Amino acid sequence: TWTFHLYTDIDFSEQSDAVSTTEYHFIQTFTDKLEGHGHTLKNITLKKTSNTDSNVGFIGTLNGGSINNLKINGITVTATEYVDANTYVGTLAGSITTGSITNCKITGINLECKQGYAGALAGQASAGTFDTCLLEGELQLGKDATNDDESFKLFGYKDESLTIESTKINTSGVYIFKEIETSTGSGDNE
């Protein structure tokens, strides 16, 4: 297992030549440890542009890895094309199969998902531990997108066996805007 250390803030708006903003994750699968040391990743833009992978987030799949003491300020995630019922959209990860996220702060969330599962932290979570996290921003969900009611806005889908202590997570600053289905009438006024 490797440990990656972040010793300075990174502003992704200044990385436009090195990093394409049309990618839907910077790391496909993460199994190691990221120690942020309280530093901030800023101005991240992710957009789903193909059918290649169903996981959209800074990390596509967190699979046994851990993220500690990391801040993200300003993250825009767009999943309006190439989405289906099995699309998982989040900020830090598209999917969490197992792993831990501790002492993380994600602010300036602007997530848009037309279909699939969307959450302020991850699109879906099967197992893991989540401790002392603060999230703020908005989720704009299409009528075919889902956010799990029992996950405190963290996940679009949460495995039933996964428990989250609400006292360790603060999502009071996350607002969900859900598109509603409207019926079309005949236009007659009778």
Side-chain angles (χ1 to χ4, degrees):
T1 300
W2 289 78
T3 300
F4 298 91
H5 296 271
L6 184 62
Y7 288 116
T8 188
D9 296 346
I10 299 175
D11 188 342
F12 283 85
S13 66
E14 298 171 0
Q15 306 295 323
S16 60
D17 291 337
V19 179
S20 169
T21 59
T22 60
E23 295 297 321
Y24 42 94
H25 46 65
F26 287 98
I27 303 167
Q28 185 170 2
T29 301
F30 191 71
T31 58
D32 297 300
K33 180 177 180 179
L34 173 60
E35 175 55 56
H37 297 286
H39 289 286
T40 304
L41 303 176
K42 302 177 188 174
N43 303 312
I44 299 169
T45 301
L46 304 168
K47 182 175 182 179
K48 185 156 175 50
T49 58
S50 73
N51 285 325
T52 307
D53 193 343
S54 61
N55 297 325
V56 183
F58 185 76
I59 297 169
T61 301
L62 181 63
N63 186 11
S66 65
I67 312 293
N68 305 305
N69 303 306
L70 179 69
K71 297 177 186 174
I72 296 177
N73 182 7
I75 181 164
T76 300
V77 183
T78 307
T80 56
E81 299 178 75
Y82 306 104
V83 293
D84 60 31
N86 296 313
T87 301
Y88 300 108
V89 182
T91 55
L92 194 54
S95 176
I96 299 172
T97 55
T98 186
S100 67
I101 298 173
T102 306
N103 294 325
C104 290
K105 180 178 180 181
I106 304 173
T107 58
I109 297 169
N110 183 7
L111 185 145
E112 183 179 5
C113 179
K114 291 287 184 194
Q115 185 178 9
Y117 299 93
L121 188 63
Q124 77 93 19
S126 301
T129 57
F130 311 95
D131 189 12
T132 317
C133 295
L134 169 72
L135 295 95
E136 297 175 345
E138 63 182 50
L139 310 180
Q140 301 169 37
L141 305 181
K143 65 181 184 270
D144 296 322
T146 302
N147 180 268
D148 188 284
D149 293 334
E150 296 179 11
S151 74
F152 308 102
K153 306 175 200 169
L154 291 175
F155 311 115
Y157 171 80
K158 178 185 77 65
D159 192 273
E160 289 180 12
S161 64
L162 178 62
T163 58
I164 302 167
E165 291 185 47
S166 63
T167 58
K168 296 183 176 191
I169 304 293
N170 184 344
T171 57
S172 63
V174 174
Y175 299 94
I176 298 177
F177 300 94
K178 175 88 170 158
E179 179 183 5
I180 57 171
E181 276 193 63
T182 56
S183 61
T184 56
S186 64
D188 293 336
N189 241 353
E190 295 183 35

